[in-house]
Amino acid sequence: MRRRTIGNSTVGAIGLGAMPLSIEGRPDERRAVATVHAALDAGVTLIDTADSYHWHAGERGHNELLVARALRSYRGDTSGVLVATKGGRGRPGDGSWTVTGTPEHLKRAAEASAGRLGVESLGLYQLHKPDPAVPWADSVGALRDLLDAGTIRAAGISNVSSGQIREAHAILGDGLVSVQNRYSPAVRDSEPELRLSTRLGLAFLPWSPLGGISRSALEGRPGPASTGTAFHRVAAERGVSPQQVALAWLLARSPALVPVPGASRPASVQDSARAAEIELSEAELVRLGDAP
Protein backbone atom coordinates (compact mmCIF):
# COMPACT_ATOMS: atom_id res chain seq x y z
CA MET A 1 0.00 0.00 0.00
CA ARG A 2 1.13 3.54 -0.71
CA ARG A 3 2.18 5.46 2.37
CA ARG A 4 1.35 8.87 3.83
CA THR A 5 2.69 10.87 6.77
CA ILE A 6 0.99 11.95 9.99
CA GLY A 7 3.47 13.90 12.09
CA ASN A 8 6.42 11.60 12.68
CA SER A 9 4.43 8.50 11.72
CA THR A 10 4.17 6.87 8.30
CA VAL A 11 0.92 5.03 7.66
CA GLY A 12 -0.88 3.28 4.84
CA ALA A 13 -2.67 5.72 2.56
CA ILE A 14 -6.07 4.24 3.53
CA GLY A 15 -7.04 3.96 7.19
CA LEU A 16 -9.85 2.14 9.00
CA GLY A 17 -12.69 4.01 10.67
CA ALA A 18 -13.60 1.64 13.50
CA MET A 19 -16.80 3.41 14.62
CA PRO A 20 -19.24 1.02 12.82
CA LEU A 21 -17.85 -1.84 14.91
CA SER A 22 -19.33 -0.37 18.11
CA ILE A 23 -22.33 1.85 17.40
CA GLU A 24 -25.94 1.03 16.48
CA GLY A 25 -26.23 -2.07 14.33
CA ARG A 26 -22.72 -3.21 15.20
CA PRO A 27 -21.55 -6.70 14.26
CA ASP A 28 -20.78 -9.37 16.81
CA GLU A 29 -17.29 -9.27 18.26
CA ARG A 30 -15.99 -12.15 16.15
CA ARG A 31 -16.80 -10.31 12.92
CA ALA A 32 -15.61 -7.00 14.33
CA VAL A 33 -12.21 -8.45 15.22
CA ALA A 34 -12.02 -10.17 11.83
CA THR A 35 -12.63 -6.78 10.19
CA VAL A 36 -9.69 -5.20 12.04
CA HIS A 37 -7.49 -8.19 11.17
CA ALA A 38 -8.50 -7.95 7.50
CA ALA A 39 -7.52 -4.27 7.54
CA LEU A 40 -4.08 -5.11 8.94
CA ASP A 41 -3.64 -7.91 6.40
CA ALA A 42 -4.42 -5.39 3.63
CA GLY A 43 -1.71 -2.98 4.78
CA VAL A 44 -3.86 -0.59 6.81
CA THR A 45 -1.78 0.88 9.65
CA LEU A 46 -4.04 3.75 10.81
CA ILE A 47 -7.06 2.88 12.95
CA ASP A 48 -9.43 5.69 13.92
CA THR A 49 -11.45 5.35 17.12
CA ALA A 50 -12.88 7.47 19.97
CA ASP A 51 -14.01 7.01 23.54
CA SER A 52 -17.56 7.94 22.48
CA TYR A 53 -17.90 5.24 19.83
CA HIS A 54 -20.43 3.02 21.56
CA TRP A 55 -24.13 2.22 21.43
CA HIS A 56 -25.62 1.97 24.89
CA ALA A 57 -25.26 4.08 28.02
CA GLY A 58 -22.38 3.00 30.24
CA GLU A 59 -20.29 1.67 27.34
CA ARG A 60 -17.77 4.51 27.07
CA GLY A 61 -14.60 3.21 25.45
CA HIS A 62 -16.30 0.18 23.83
CA ASN A 63 -14.55 0.78 20.50
CA GLU A 64 -11.15 1.45 22.07
CA LEU A 65 -11.34 -1.78 24.05
CA LEU A 66 -12.41 -3.67 20.92
CA VAL A 67 -9.51 -2.26 18.89
CA ALA A 68 -7.08 -3.14 21.68
CA ARG A 69 -8.33 -6.74 21.80
CA ALA A 70 -8.12 -7.06 18.02
CA LEU A 71 -4.53 -5.80 17.98
CA ARG A 72 -3.51 -8.15 20.80
CA SER A 73 -4.99 -11.18 19.03
CA TYR A 74 -3.46 -10.40 15.63
CA ARG A 75 -0.71 -12.84 14.73
CA GLY A 76 1.33 -10.39 12.68
CA ASP A 77 3.46 -7.37 13.58
CA THR A 78 1.45 -4.41 14.91
CA SER A 79 4.39 -2.22 15.94
CA GLY A 80 3.78 0.10 12.98
CA VAL A 81 0.08 0.60 13.65
CA LEU A 82 -1.02 4.10 14.67
CA VAL A 83 -4.21 4.16 16.72
CA ALA A 84 -5.79 7.60 16.65
CA THR A 85 -8.43 8.18 19.30
CA LYS A 86 -10.54 11.17 20.24
CA GLY A 87 -12.06 12.75 23.34
CA GLY A 88 -14.54 15.51 24.07
CA ARG A 89 -17.83 13.91 23.04
CA GLY A 90 -20.26 11.66 24.82
CA ARG A 91 -23.25 9.42 24.06
CA PRO A 92 -25.96 9.16 26.71
CA GLY A 93 -27.37 6.04 25.04
CA ASP A 94 -30.43 7.61 23.43
CA GLY A 95 -28.75 8.21 20.08
CA SER A 96 -27.72 11.78 20.87
CA TRP A 97 -24.22 13.22 21.17
CA THR A 98 -22.87 15.64 23.77
CA VAL A 99 -19.79 17.88 23.75
CA THR A 100 -17.48 18.52 26.71
CA GLY A 101 -14.29 20.42 26.00
CA THR A 102 -13.13 21.48 29.45
CA PRO A 103 -9.42 20.94 30.09
CA GLU A 104 -10.19 18.76 33.10
CA HIS A 105 -12.43 16.46 31.10
CA LEU A 106 -10.03 16.16 28.17
CA LYS A 107 -7.10 15.28 30.42
CA ARG A 108 -9.07 12.62 32.28
CA ALA A 109 -10.43 11.28 29.00
CA ALA A 110 -6.98 10.96 27.43
CA GLU A 111 -5.64 9.09 30.44
CA ALA A 112 -8.64 6.75 30.38
CA SER A 113 -8.21 6.14 26.64
CA ALA A 114 -4.56 5.23 27.14
CA GLY A 115 -5.59 2.74 29.79
CA ARG A 116 -8.20 1.11 27.59
CA LEU A 117 -5.81 0.89 24.65
CA GLY A 118 -3.11 -0.54 26.92
CA VAL A 119 -0.45 2.05 26.12
CA GLU A 120 1.60 4.45 28.20
CA SER A 121 1.31 7.22 25.63
CA LEU A 122 -1.33 7.73 22.92
CA GLY A 123 0.14 7.91 19.42
CA LEU A 124 -2.45 10.47 18.25
CA TYR A 125 -5.11 12.12 20.39
CA GLN A 126 -7.69 14.34 18.73
CA LEU A 127 -10.11 16.84 20.24
CA HIS A 128 -13.39 15.50 18.87
CA LYS A 129 -15.33 18.75 18.52
CA PRO A 130 -15.08 22.35 19.77
CA ASP A 131 -17.24 23.00 22.83
CA PRO A 132 -19.10 26.31 22.37
CA ALA A 133 -19.23 26.69 26.16
CA VAL A 134 -15.42 26.54 26.54
CA PRO A 135 -12.89 28.96 25.03
CA TRP A 136 -11.13 27.20 22.16
CA ALA A 137 -7.72 28.17 23.52
CA ASP A 138 -8.54 26.44 26.82
CA SER A 139 -9.49 23.17 25.14
CA VAL A 140 -6.42 23.26 22.90
CA GLY A 141 -4.31 24.19 25.92
CA ALA A 142 -5.31 20.85 27.46
CA LEU A 143 -3.76 19.12 24.44
CA ARG A 144 -0.60 21.17 25.02
CA ASP A 145 -0.51 19.97 28.63
CA LEU A 146 -1.05 16.36 27.55
CA LEU A 147 1.83 16.65 25.09
CA ASP A 148 4.11 18.16 27.72
CA ALA A 149 3.18 15.41 30.19
CA GLY A 150 3.88 12.67 27.65
CA THR A 151 0.32 11.33 27.88
CA ILE A 152 0.03 11.83 24.12
CA ARG A 153 2.75 11.92 21.45
CA ALA A 154 0.81 13.96 18.88
CA ALA A 155 -2.37 16.03 18.84
CA GLY A 156 -5.19 16.52 16.36
CA ILE A 157 -8.40 18.52 16.10
CA SER A 158 -11.72 17.60 14.52
CA ASN A 159 -14.78 19.39 13.16
CA VAL A 160 -12.99 22.72 13.05
CA SER A 161 -12.84 25.93 11.02
CA SER A 162 -9.79 27.43 9.37
CA GLY A 163 -9.54 30.00 12.16
CA GLN A 164 -9.56 27.27 14.80
CA ILE A 165 -6.84 25.40 12.91
CA ARG A 166 -4.64 28.50 12.88
CA GLU A 167 -5.21 29.15 16.59
CA ALA A 168 -4.49 25.54 17.52
CA HIS A 169 -1.36 25.54 15.37
CA ALA A 170 -0.12 28.67 17.16
CA ILE A 171 -0.63 26.97 20.54
CA LEU A 172 0.59 23.47 19.71
CA GLY A 173 3.24 24.09 17.05
CA ASP A 174 4.70 20.85 15.76
CA GLY A 175 2.59 18.97 18.30
CA LEU A 176 -0.43 19.49 16.06
CA VAL A 177 -0.30 16.90 13.28
CA SER A 178 -3.86 16.30 12.03
CA VAL A 179 -7.25 17.75 11.19
CA GLN A 180 -10.31 15.53 10.92
CA ASN A 181 -13.34 17.10 9.23
CA ARG A 182 -16.18 15.74 7.17
CA TYR A 183 -15.18 15.65 3.50
CA SER A 184 -16.35 13.49 0.62
CA PRO A 185 -17.45 13.59 -3.03
CA ALA A 186 -20.82 14.94 -1.88
CA VAL A 187 -19.72 17.14 1.03
CA ARG A 188 -16.87 19.50 0.21
CA ASP A 189 -17.51 22.30 2.71
CA SER A 190 -14.09 21.70 4.28
CA GLU A 191 -12.14 22.44 1.10
CA PRO A 192 -10.59 25.57 2.75
CA GLU A 193 -9.55 23.51 5.78
CA LEU A 194 -8.05 20.85 3.51
CA ARG A 195 -6.00 23.48 1.67
CA LEU A 196 -4.88 25.10 4.92
CA SER A 197 -3.92 21.74 6.44
CA THR A 198 -1.87 20.91 3.35
CA ARG A 199 -0.03 24.24 3.55
CA LEU A 200 0.71 23.76 7.25
CA GLY A 201 1.94 20.18 6.78
CA LEU A 202 -0.97 18.69 8.73
CA ALA A 203 -2.56 15.39 7.79
CA PHE A 204 -6.20 15.72 6.79
CA LEU A 205 -8.30 12.71 7.84
CA PRO A 206 -11.77 13.04 6.29
CA TRP A 207 -14.56 11.36 8.18
CA SER A 208 -17.48 9.89 6.23
CA PRO A 209 -15.27 9.95 3.11
CA LEU A 210 -17.76 7.93 1.05
CA GLY A 211 -20.62 10.39 1.40
CA GLY A 212 -22.53 10.58 -1.88
CA ILE A 213 -21.40 7.13 -3.01
CA SER A 214 -24.06 4.47 -2.56
CA ARG A 215 -23.04 1.55 -0.41
CA SER A 216 -22.47 -1.64 -2.34
CA ALA A 217 -23.44 -5.22 -1.63
CA LEU A 218 -20.22 -5.41 0.40
CA GLU A 219 -22.20 -3.97 3.31
CA GLY A 220 -25.15 -6.23 2.70
CA ARG A 221 -27.41 -3.40 1.56
CA PRO A 222 -30.32 -4.58 -0.63
CA GLY A 223 -31.13 -3.18 -4.04
CA PRO A 224 -29.01 -2.26 -7.06
CA ALA A 225 -26.11 0.16 -6.75
CA SER A 226 -26.62 3.61 -8.17
CA THR A 227 -25.07 4.34 -11.55
CA GLY A 228 -25.98 7.99 -11.56
CA THR A 229 -22.66 9.70 -10.80
CA ALA A 230 -19.35 10.04 -12.57
CA PHE A 231 -17.81 7.96 -9.76
CA HIS A 232 -20.04 5.02 -10.65
CA ARG A 233 -19.37 5.40 -14.37
CA VAL A 234 -15.58 5.51 -13.90
CA ALA A 235 -15.85 2.50 -11.58
CA ALA A 236 -17.81 0.54 -14.18
CA GLU A 237 -15.21 1.35 -16.85
CA ARG A 238 -12.36 0.24 -14.59
CA GLY A 239 -14.13 -2.81 -13.20
CA VAL A 240 -13.75 -1.66 -9.59
CA SER A 241 -16.18 -0.50 -6.92
CA PRO A 242 -17.40 3.11 -6.82
CA GLN A 243 -16.09 3.27 -3.25
CA GLN A 244 -12.57 2.60 -4.53
CA VAL A 245 -12.89 5.38 -7.10
CA ALA A 246 -14.13 7.80 -4.42
CA LEU A 247 -11.17 6.98 -2.17
CA ALA A 248 -8.71 7.26 -5.05
CA TRP A 249 -10.22 10.66 -5.89
CA LEU A 250 -9.70 11.75 -2.29
CA LEU A 251 -6.06 10.63 -2.33
CA ALA A 252 -5.54 12.73 -5.45
CA ARG A 253 -6.92 15.86 -3.76
CA SER A 254 -3.88 16.35 -1.54
CA PRO A 255 -0.75 14.47 -0.43
CA ALA A 256 -1.83 15.30 3.13
CA LEU A 257 -5.14 13.45 2.87
CA VAL A 258 -5.59 10.03 4.51
CA PRO A 259 -9.16 8.70 4.20
CA VAL A 260 -10.51 6.61 7.09
CA PRO A 261 -13.58 4.84 5.65
CA GLY A 262 -15.65 2.90 8.12
CA ALA A 263 -16.24 -0.82 7.78
CA SER A 264 -18.12 -3.54 9.60
CA ARG A 265 -17.12 -6.49 7.39
CA PRO A 266 -13.71 -7.82 6.27
CA ALA A 267 -14.76 -7.57 2.61
CA SER A 268 -15.53 -3.86 3.00
CA VAL A 269 -12.15 -2.91 4.40
CA GLN A 270 -10.37 -5.07 1.84
CA ASP A 271 -12.23 -3.27 -0.93
CA SER A 272 -11.32 0.13 0.52
CA ALA A 273 -7.64 -0.79 0.90
CA ARG A 274 -7.40 -1.63 -2.80
CA ALA A 275 -8.18 2.01 -3.59
CA ALA A 276 -4.58 2.86 -2.68
CA GLU A 277 -3.48 1.02 -5.83
CA ILE A 278 -5.62 3.15 -8.16
CA GLU A 279 -4.01 6.07 -10.00
CA LEU A 280 -6.72 8.12 -11.65
CA SER A 281 -5.86 9.78 -14.95
CA GLU A 282 -6.09 13.53 -15.48
CA ALA A 283 -9.11 12.96 -17.71
CA GLU A 284 -10.82 10.91 -15.01
CA LEU A 285 -10.10 13.55 -12.39
CA VAL A 286 -11.64 16.20 -14.62
CA ARG A 287 -14.75 14.05 -14.98
CA LEU A 288 -14.93 13.52 -11.21
CA GLY A 289 -14.17 17.09 -10.22
CA ASP A 290 -17.72 18.35 -10.57
CA ALA A 291 -19.48 15.09 -9.80
CA PRO A 292 -22.12 15.22 -7.05
Side-chain angles (χ1 to χ4, degrees):
M1 183 182 289
R2 282 186 285 167
R3 312 287 281 177
R4 297 241 157 144
T5 300
I6 303 177
N8 293 326
S9 299
T10 300
V11 299
I14 301 292
L16 168 65
M19 183 174 74
L21 303 177
S22 290
I23 62 168
E24 291 85 340
R26 66 195 181 201
D28 61 41
E29 180 152 334
R30 181 177 179 181
R31 195 177 90 191
V33 169
T35 300
V36 176
H37 289 180
L40 298 172
D41 288 342
V44 171
T45 56
L46 171 64
I47 300 177
D48 179 77
T49 181
D51 62 359
S52 57
Y53 289 168
H54 61 86
W55 186 349
H56 307 290
E59 286 188 327
R60 179 173 290 275
H62 182 281
N63 198 239
E64 293 172 324
L65 291 167
L66 174 64
V67 168
R69 288 194 294 271
L71 290 174
R72 284 196 302 269
S73 63
Y74 185 63
R75 294 183 178 181
D77 181 16
T78 60
S79 61
V81 175
L82 175 64
V83 177
T85 192
K86 296 180 286 294
R89 303 210 73 179
R91 300 202 76 196
D94 59 0
S96 66
W97 295 77
T98 60
V99 182
T100 307
T102 63
E104 297 77 17
H105 173 82
L106 293 172
K107 291 175 184 178
R108 288 195 303 269
E111 292 168 357
S113 289
R116 286 188 288 263
L117 289 167
V119 296
E120 294 183 2
S121 181
L122 295 168
L124 174 56
Y125 189 68
Q126 302 178 100
L127 199 164
H128 207 153
K129 187 177 183 179
D131 184 344
V134 178
W136 179 238
D138 291 355
S139 295
V140 176
L143 298 181
R144 176 75 269 170
D145 291 343
L146 288 166
L147 286 165
D148 293 341
T151 307
I152 67 176
R153 297 195 298 277
I157 50 178
S158 183
N159 298 299
V160 289
S161 66
S162 293
Q164 289 167 328
I165 294 173
R166 292 189 185 94
E167 187 173 358
H169 190 254
I171 294 170
L172 299 172
D174 292 342
L176 179 66
V177 303
S178 66
V179 171
Q180 188 166 26
N181 280 12
R182 187 180 185 185
Y183 187 78
S184 70
V187 182
R188 306 187 193 183
D189 296 348
S190 284
E191 191 75 42
E193 288 72 35
L194 170 58
R195 292 197 299 267
L196 177 59
S197 298
T198 303
R199 289 198 301 273
L200 293 176
L202 306 175
F204 190 86
L205 317 177
W207 60 267
S208 194
L210 296 174
I213 304 299
S214 65
R215 297 306 305 173
S216 69
L218 291 170
E219 288 292 349
R221 302 293 177 89
S226 168
T227 58
T229 74
F231 289 89
H232 293 84
R233 290 189 287 274
V234 170
E237 292 165 7
R238 281 180 166 263
V240 300
S241 73
Q243 288 77 25
Q244 287 181 39
V245 174
L247 294 172
W249 175 83
L250 285 165
L251 289 173
R253 302 295 285 176
S254 167
L257 199 148
V258 185
V260 285
S264 62
R265 298 171 182 268
S268 301
V269 72
Q270 290 164 347
D271 182 75
S272 292
R274 286 193 289 272
E277 304 168 6
I278 297 175
E279 294 274 1
L280 295 170
S281 69
E282 289 295 329
E284 288 171 326
L285 291 172
V286 169
R287 291 172 63 190
L288 298 173
D290 296 323

